[in-house]
Amino acid sequence: MKVEKTHSAQNGYVMLFVALVLLIGGIALLRIYVGAFMIIAALIMCAGFVLVNPNSSRVLLLFGKYVGTIKENGLFWVNPLYTKKRISLRASNFDSERLKVNDKLGNPIMISTILVWRVTDTYKAAFDVDDYQNFVRVQTDAAVRKLASMYPYDNFADEGLVEDITLRSSVNEVSEALEKEVQERLSMAGIEVLEARIGYLAYAQEIANAMLKRQQATAIVAARHKIVEGAVSMVEMALEELSKKGLVALDDERKSAMVSNLMVVLCSDKDVTPIVNTGTLNH
């Protein structure tokens, strides 16, 4: 397999001076055949000038044969018969379309990616693939589809489905996996991936409302569990302190009533209205 090679081109400014000399001399000697040949030679030389901007390159071909690549910026002169193909070496952004795919659990999700890439091997970009820019788009979409099928959107602890990496919470891990997957696909085109990350992630419209309700229910259950756990600890502490200081002598029935009242107060969604008991503890 051929690889990129650097082509040493002639200094463009020197050849521009030579072309001007031939053109002016040809005009001066236009009355004789030598002048005409000098003008024709100057015009042919003009076809060999190549202007390479910063972070740009020119791939040179001679009748279909790869000659080399010019990566230095400036004005150069090459064989006028060379075919010159421009390839940018600048970093480029690619924001993919939102794709509808299934995650590891089979849930339909909408996902897109943001890719930052650049060409590092002009030979592979020019000749190993048909259109390297379209190749980037297609292979990135394929990598995103594969990545989405490898991880679940989120954990569902209530069903015992707990994953170390999820699309929603493991941003760094998912980005690293996506970057590695895209780089493996684009390396054959001589392209380096500078950054790859998820740009958009959400459930598909047909299940978005159901999943939102499920997440809310899971959050409510978790909050209730925490509230009950704290309430039990507070009741236990209250009974222990009352018993230790001997402020009130409570039998089992009164302890049960006290525990019930405290649990209602501590676990209630709404503020509880206190009632002052002016009679005995039994009323």
Side-chain angles (χ1 to χ4, degrees), residues 134 189 224:
N134 184 63
R224 285 292 182 187

Side-chain angles (χ1 to χ4, degrees), residues 95-200:
D95 188 2
S96 69
E97 297 181 358
R98 295 179 182 179
L99 304 175
K100 184 177 180 180
V101 298
N102 293 330
D103 68 354
K104 185 178 180 180
L105 303 179
N107 297 318
I109 61 175
M110 302 297 295
I111 187 171
S112 69
T113 183
I114 297 176
L115 182 70
V116 183
W117 59 278
R118 67 180 176 187
V119 175
T120 55
D121 192 316
T122 57
Y123 179 86
K124 292 182 178 180
F127 307 114
D128 284 356
V129 294
D130 184 32
D131 183 351
Y132 69 92
Q133 293 180 337
N134 184 63
F135 186 80
V136 170
R137 291 191 291 268
V138 174
Q139 293 300 320
T140 300
D141 290 346
V144 172
R145 290 181 182 275
K146 180 180 178 180
L147 179 79
S149 65
M150 294 171 57
Y151 305 107
Y153 179 91
D154 202 356
N155 281 320
F156 296 104
D158 56 332
E159 296 183 0
L161 301 175
V162 179
E163 297 281 347
D164 295 332
I165 300 177
T166 62
L167 296 174
R168 186 181 66 87
S169 59
S170 306
V171 178
N172 294 332
E173 292 82 357
V174 172
S175 297
E176 291 178 1
L178 177 61
E179 183 175 336
K180 181 179 179 181
E181 179 68 23
V182 176
Q183 182 62 73
E184 290 178 356
R185 293 172 178 267
L186 299 184
S187 58
M188 66 174 296
I191 294 173
E192 178 187 7
V193 176
L194 302 178
E195 182 184 5
R197 55 188 174 87
I198 301 298
Y200 179 84

Side-chain angles (χ1 to χ4, degrees), residues 12 19 59 65 77 83 90 96 113 130 136 139 196 229 233 265 280:
V59 177
K65 181 180 179 180
W77 187 86
T83 301
R90 299 182 179 93
S96 69
T113 183
D130 184 32
V136 170
Q139 293 300 320
E229 183 180 352
S233 299
V265 171
T280 65

Side-chain angles (χ1 to χ4, degrees), residues 243-262:
S243 175
K244 183 187 298 183
K245 294 183 180 180
L247 297 177
V248 179
L250 301 175
D251 55 17
D252 293 340
E253 183 179 354
R254 292 174 180 175
K255 285 183 179 179
S256 298
M258 180 178 178
V259 169
S260 176
N261 293 334
L262 286 175

Side-chain angles (χ1 to χ4, degrees), residues 1-161:
M1 181 181 295
K2 292 186 177 180
V3 294
E4 177 187 274
K5 60 181 179 180
T6 303
H7 181 76
S8 299
Q10 299 292 330
N11 190 304
Y13 297 101
V14 174
M15 300 305 294
L16 179 62
F17 175 77
V18 174
L20 290 176
V21 170
L22 289 176
L23 182 62
I24 295 173
I27 294 174
L29 302 174
L30 189 59
R31 294 183 179 180
I32 58 178
Y33 292 109
V34 176
F37 284 117
M38 292 176 66
I39 293 176
I40 293 174
L43 295 177
I44 293 175
M45 287 185 62
C46 291
F49 289 105
V50 179
L51 179 63
V52 182
N53 296 319
N55 285 327
S56 184
S57 67
R58 290 294 186 94
V59 177
L60 305 177
L61 298 173
L62 179 60
F63 302 119
K65 181 180 179 180
Y66 175 65
V67 177
T69 302
I70 303 176
K71 286 188 173 181
E72 295 183 15
N73 60 303
L75 180 64
F76 301 95
W77 187 86
V78 296
N79 189 331
L81 298 178
Y82 285 170
T83 301
K84 300 170 279 292
K85 182 176 182 179
R86 186 192 305 272
I87 293 182
S88 175
L89 303 178
R90 299 182 179 93
S92 301
N93 284 320
F94 170 60
D95 188 2
S96 69
E97 297 181 358
R98 295 179 182 179
L99 304 175
K100 184 177 180 180
V101 298
N102 293 330
D103 68 354
K104 185 178 180 180
L105 303 179
N107 297 318
I109 61 175
M110 302 297 295
I111 187 171
S112 69
T113 183
I114 297 176
L115 182 70
V116 183
W117 59 278
R118 67 180 176 187
V119 175
T120 55
D121 192 316
T122 57
Y123 179 86
K124 292 182 178 180
F127 307 114
D128 284 356
V129 294
D130 184 32
D131 183 351
Y132 69 92
Q133 293 180 337
N134 184 63
F135 186 80
V136 170
R137 291 191 291 268
V138 174
Q139 293 300 320
T140 300
D141 290 346
V144 172
R145 290 181 182 275
K146 180 180 178 180
L147 179 79
S149 65
M150 294 171 57
Y151 305 107
Y153 179 91
D154 202 356
N155 281 320
F156 296 104
D158 56 332
E159 296 183 0
L161 301 175

